[in-house]
């Protein structure tokens, strides 16, 4: 399967963040997009609210100028983040009254969010989801369970 360089880079960063326990959906530096953007928070200035799909003035300017961060446009970054948050069980955009998973940084919660993101990243690159990337994010406990079942 042919994949783009941006997809390969994003998957590698997400894989490392998941296995190094540096993935946190509530932190703009350690969320899915924060990791894709090299743990920098410049992407958060594209919207006024974490998890929103609406570009603010700064985001619109960057979008219209054709700028991107590691190959992703400002709008795509917002969509990736919203996909991750929804996959983790958050209501978006994030706010105090919205729903939130009991343990936002549990491996199970993060795994669900990452599965949604990987699928969406493949859609963005017009790649069929033929390869099961979920194997990359399995934890040792999940692997043991699949062998004993």
């Amino acid at each position: 399967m042919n994949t783009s360089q941006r997809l390969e880079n994003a998957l590698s960063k997400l894989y490392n963040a998941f296995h190094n326990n540096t993935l946190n959906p509530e932190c703009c530096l350690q969320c899915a997009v924060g990791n894709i953007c090299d743990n920098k928070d410049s992407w958060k200035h594209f919207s006024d609210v974490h998890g929103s799909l609406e570009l603010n003035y700064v985001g619109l300017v960057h979008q219209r100028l054709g700028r991107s961060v590691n190959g992703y446009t400002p709008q795509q970054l917002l969509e990736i983040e919203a996909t991750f948050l929804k996959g983790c069980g958050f209501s978006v955009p994030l706010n105090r009254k919205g729903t939130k998973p009991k343990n936002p940084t549990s491996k199970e919660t993060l795994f669900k969010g990452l599965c949604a993101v990987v699928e969406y990243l493949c859609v963005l690159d017009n790649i069929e989801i033929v390869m099961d990337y979920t194997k990359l994010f399995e934890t040792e406990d999940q692997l043991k369970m699949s062998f004993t079942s």
Side-chain angles (χ1 to χ4, degrees), residues 62-127:
H62 284 277
Q63 182 78 22
R64 290 182 180 154
L65 289 173
R67 294 191 176 145
S68 64
V69 180
N70 292 337
Y72 295 99
T73 67
Q75 185 63 54
Q76 289 172 330
L77 292 172
L78 295 184
E79 291 167 2
I80 293 166
E81 186 62 14
T83 300
F84 178 63
L85 291 170
K86 287 179 198 173
C88 287
F90 289 89
S91 59
V92 291
L94 294 185
N95 64 59
R96 287 181 288 159
K97 296 178 182 176
T99 59
K100 166 182 174 171
K102 287 185 181 185
N103 186 356
T105 56
S106 76
K107 287 291 190 183
E108 183 179 341
T109 299
L110 296 174
F111 183 75
K112 288 176 185 177
L114 285 174
C115 287
V117 167
V118 169
E119 186 173 331
Y120 185 67
L121 292 175
C122 289
V123 168
L124 284 178
D125 282 8
N126 296 317
I127 296 172

Side-chain angles (χ1 to χ4, degrees), residues 31-61:
C31 59
V33 173
N35 277 284
I36 290 171
C37 295
D38 303 318
N39 302 104
K40 295 185 173 113
D41 69 354
S42 56
W43 71 273
K44 77 176 185 177
H45 302 290
F46 296 149
S47 176
D48 293 329
V49 182
H50 188 184
S52 172
L53 293 173
E54 191 174 323
L55 292 169
N56 61 16
Y57 179 76
V58 173
L60 284 170
V61 169

